[in-house]
Amino acid sequence: MLNVIKTILQQNYFQYKDGFFQPKKGIGMGSPISGTTAEIYLQYVEAIHIKQWWETGEICYYKRYVDDILIIYNNHKIKNSTIEQIINTIDKNLEFKMTPENNNTINYLDLTLHRNSNNIELSIYRKPTSTDTIIHYKSNHPHEYKMAAFKFFINRMTTLPITKE
């Protein structure tokens, strides 16, 4: 298995405009194996570096979706600046940027989480660049692709404790 991965990494080329290039580090975006390789590496980083914070209670909650991470930490044991500094020393080729909560609110993926004294309220978050565009029903895409967005919205509506608005 390692020989297969090594061969893939050594034969890693991408095209940009009129030229072909080979990255010095990592895998070019769009490569069929890039997502899998990134996931394997991030799980390794979590097992080696994040796990110890979890075990000491410095981090109370850790959830990652692809490259978006939500961390709830004990600010009596560790500061967000310390977390950011240590994470950014793990690998010189990776840069983590922290977005601290503002007025007890933070956006994660497509949700806004607002922390009250005894619970967390959820609402839908849309990035300023969001177009709310979905695949048009009459487009030439597979039917499953067209229905996926609607199924996602319905599932989110029925499973997340958000307000009717």
Side-chain angles (χ1 to χ4, degrees):
M1 187 62 143
L2 289 175
N3 286 336
V4 170
I5 293 172
K6 185 177 179 181
T7 301
I8 290 170
L9 292 175
Q10 289 173 342
Q11 297 179 9
N12 178 33
Y13 296 91
F14 65 94
Q15 182 178 2
Y16 178 72
K17 295 187 179 179
D18 294 330
F20 288 90
F21 304 91
Q22 184 176 30
K24 293 178 183 173
K25 291 272 185 186
I27 296 176
M29 288 192 342
S31 169
I33 197 169
S34 63
T36 303
T37 306
E39 181 63 26
I40 290 168
Y41 184 70
L42 287 173
Q43 285 186 23
Y44 165 78
V45 167
E46 290 168 344
I48 300 299
H49 300 282
I50 305 301
K51 184 180 176 188
Q52 65 187 10
W53 283 336
W54 180 264
E55 290 172 346
T56 61
E58 293 169 305
I59 288 181
C60 311
Y61 183 83
Y62 178 92
K63 194 59 73 175
R64 178 177 57 83
Y65 180 78
V66 186
D67 63 347
D68 291 319
I69 302 170
L70 178 65
I71 297 175
I72 299 174
Y73 59 93
N74 182 336
N75 62 2
H76 296 293
K77 293 185 176 184
I78 195 167
K79 302 295 179 207
N80 66 343
S81 58
T82 305
I83 294 171
E84 185 174 21
Q85 178 187 4
I86 293 172
I87 286 179
N88 278 317
T89 61
I90 293 171
D91 186 324
K92 66 179 181 173
N93 298 301
L94 295 177
E95 181 183 359
F96 292 87
K97 295 181 183 176
M98 291 188 73
T99 305
E101 69 178 20
N102 187 6
N103 296 324
N104 296 339
T105 301
I106 193 163
N107 299 314
Y108 179 66
L109 302 176
D110 64 345
L111 294 174
T112 295
L113 292 77
H114 181 77
R115 182 171 51 93
N116 291 327
S117 58
N118 59 351
N119 68 351
I120 295 176
E121 294 176 6
L122 302 177
S123 60
I124 304 299
Y125 170 69
R126 294 283 182 257
K127 291 182 178 180
T129 57
S130 175
T131 62
D132 287 331
T133 302
I134 57 172
I135 299 173
H136 192 277
Y137 187 75
K138 293 183 180 181
S139 71
N140 193 24
H141 288 83
H143 182 73
E144 309 86 63
Y145 292 9
K146 297 173 193 177
M147 297 308 296
F150 292 104
K151 288 179 181 178
F152 166 76
F153 292 138
I154 291 168
N155 181 59
R156 181 177 63 187
M157 179 180 68
T158 59
T159 59
L160 288 178
I162 55 178
T163 63
K164 290 181 181 181
E165 296 81 39

